[in-house]
Amino acid sequence: MKALVVGSTGALGVPVVRQLIERGHDVSGLTRSPEKARLLEDLGARAVLGDVLDAQRMKEVAVEVRPEGVVQLLNALPKRGPIRIGELEGTNELRIKGTENVLAGAASAGARRFIAESMIFGYGYRAGDRIVTEDDPFGVSTSIDDVDRALNALVSLETQVLDASLEGVVLRLGLFYGPGVGSTEFMAHLLRRRMMVLPGGGRGVASWIHVEDAASAVVAVLEDPAPGSVYNVVDDVPASTRDFVAALSAARGLPGARSIPKWLARLGGRYATMVVNATLRVSNEKIKDELGWTPRYPSIREGLSSPA
């Protein structure tokens, strides 16, 4: 298949491009950076320059590439992951306006399929012990204006994709991690320097996904889509941030983390405090049943102990 990957040089984009090429697809990757074009070419992809916020350029790119399928993996988050709520704003714009522009370009060039990355926190941050499925409400308000803007951006992205004339599919990814993933490497850096702290002990339990497994889910959906579908892409065993950090420390032989009160952590990073104390257990049964996809790394233990 002729595929265009938007967000192709990010932590998820690179393994998606690599896996698509390994499976024999003809891949073009969109990047704003001439420097990152070499990375795509080294992977065996064609590099195309453009900014998703430039509507005209997105139409030109789509006509130039003529993709059958488009994969959108857009975010503007810091490599270490978002800590402050304000760090979500750039990604909000990409999810709203960027999605609009990429969809319009894809449609104008006759693309058939459109796969977009969403995330599980659209279900909210407090589901308790209940297992969340794709049938649960999405875009659940937190009553925090800045966070709700991010949730509304996710809803906008999903609505645009699912209402489009293309074969649109949305993937709601768990907290992703793995070698080379900025947030994972940032945690390792803090652990190495004995600076890693866990607000409130990081006891909230959420669903995770190894970046290679997230990429394999993208490939599976692009190759065998069920138009109009939404899939949760998470591993089999939800885990707390405390357990994740402990497993990362053990895998890399690093010192452990220490706990600090939530109120103190909020002074430096309110959003990060929300995430590490979120309670959101999410089911992956739908994508397993419908597409036969299974995670290579069923839990963070296997994923963090693997060298790749």
Side-chain angles (χ1 to χ4, degrees):
M1 179 188 297
K2 205 169 188 181
L4 172 64
V5 180
V6 179
S8 58
T9 59
L12 179 56
V14 169
V16 166
V17 168
R18 175 171 39 76
Q19 289 188 28
L20 284 171
I21 289 171
E22 287 172 352
R23 292 183 61 83
H25 296 286
D26 180 353
V27 182
S28 295
L30 182 74
T31 178
R32 292 183 302 171
S33 166
E35 292 76 21
K36 290 185 177 179
R38 172 59 74 84
L39 168 62
L40 292 168
E41 291 165 356
D42 288 345
L43 290 170
R46 175 189 180 195
V48 185
L49 296 178
D51 185 338
V52 297
L53 297 179
D54 183 338
Q56 180 57 38
R57 179 56 185 153
M58 285 304 94
K59 289 182 179 179
E60 294 169 354
V61 166
V63 169
E64 185 179 328
V65 175
R66 293 286 178 186
E68 298 169 74
V70 176
V71 175
Q72 176 177 295
L73 310 169
L74 291 175
N75 76 71
L77 300 174
K79 286 186 177 181
R80 56 165 163 69
I83 293 175
R84 299 171 183 84
I85 294 174
E87 293 175 339
L88 304 175
E89 291 296 337
T91 297
N92 295 344
E93 184 178 21
L94 293 178
R95 285 173 174 159
I96 297 170
K97 189 63 180 177
T99 300
E100 179 184 334
N101 293 342
V102 177
L103 271 170
S108 71
R112 291 188 296 118
R113 299 176 183 173
F114 197 99
I115 316 301
E117 172 194 358
S118 184
M119 67 177 300
I120 61 170
F121 283 123
Y123 293 117
Y125 293 78
R126 284 288 164 209
D129 292 332
R130 187 169 56 82
I131 304 298
V132 173
T133 74
E134 290 85 349
D135 292 329
D136 278 280
F138 194 80
V140 179
S141 174
T142 63
S143 299
I144 301 171
D145 288 346
D146 290 344
V147 177
D148 283 354
R149 279 201 296 274
L151 295 176
N152 292 338
L154 282 173
V155 172
S156 173
L157 178 153
E158 293 199 3
T159 301
Q160 289 185 64
V161 172
L162 298 176
D163 287 351
S165 59
L166 289 75
E167 297 174 352
V169 179
V170 168
L171 302 181
R172 294 172 179 166
L173 302 186
L175 289 164
F176 74 93
Y177 71 96
V181 174
S183 56
T184 303
E185 300 308 325
F186 182 63
M187 286 185 188
H189 168 75
L190 293 179
L191 287 166
R192 194 172 294 112
R193 300 185 65 180
R194 301 180 184 273
M195 295 172 62
M196 184 71 198
V197 295
L198 294 173
R203 291 180 172 84
V205 176
S207 291
W208 300 72
I209 187 69
H210 192 284
V211 66
E212 292 291 336
D213 284 331
S216 73
V218 171
V219 174
V221 172
L222 183 65
E223 291 181 338
D224 187 20
S229 292
V230 174
Y231 294 107
N232 296 327
V233 180
V234 298
D235 66 20
D236 296 337
V237 185
S240 67
T241 305
R242 178 178 60 180
D243 288 344
F244 179 89
V245 170
L248 178 62
S249 298
R252 300 198 185 185
L254 300 173
R258 57 191 174 89
S259 177
I260 61 172
K262 290 182 187 179
W263 67 264
L264 180 60
R266 288 192 191 103
L267 298 177
R270 188 178 185 184
Y271 185 71
T273 301
M274 284 183 65
V275 170
V276 301
N277 289 284
T279 302
L280 187 61
R281 296 171 172 86
V282 178
S283 170
N284 61 12
E285 289 304 311
K286 182 179 178 182
I287 191 170
K288 284 182 170 181
D289 291 345
E290 294 188 5
L291 297 182
W293 174 87
T294 56
R296 177 181 177 187
Y297 304 107
S299 79
I300 58 169
R301 302 274 175 201
E302 291 88 353
L304 288 172
S305 63
S306 171

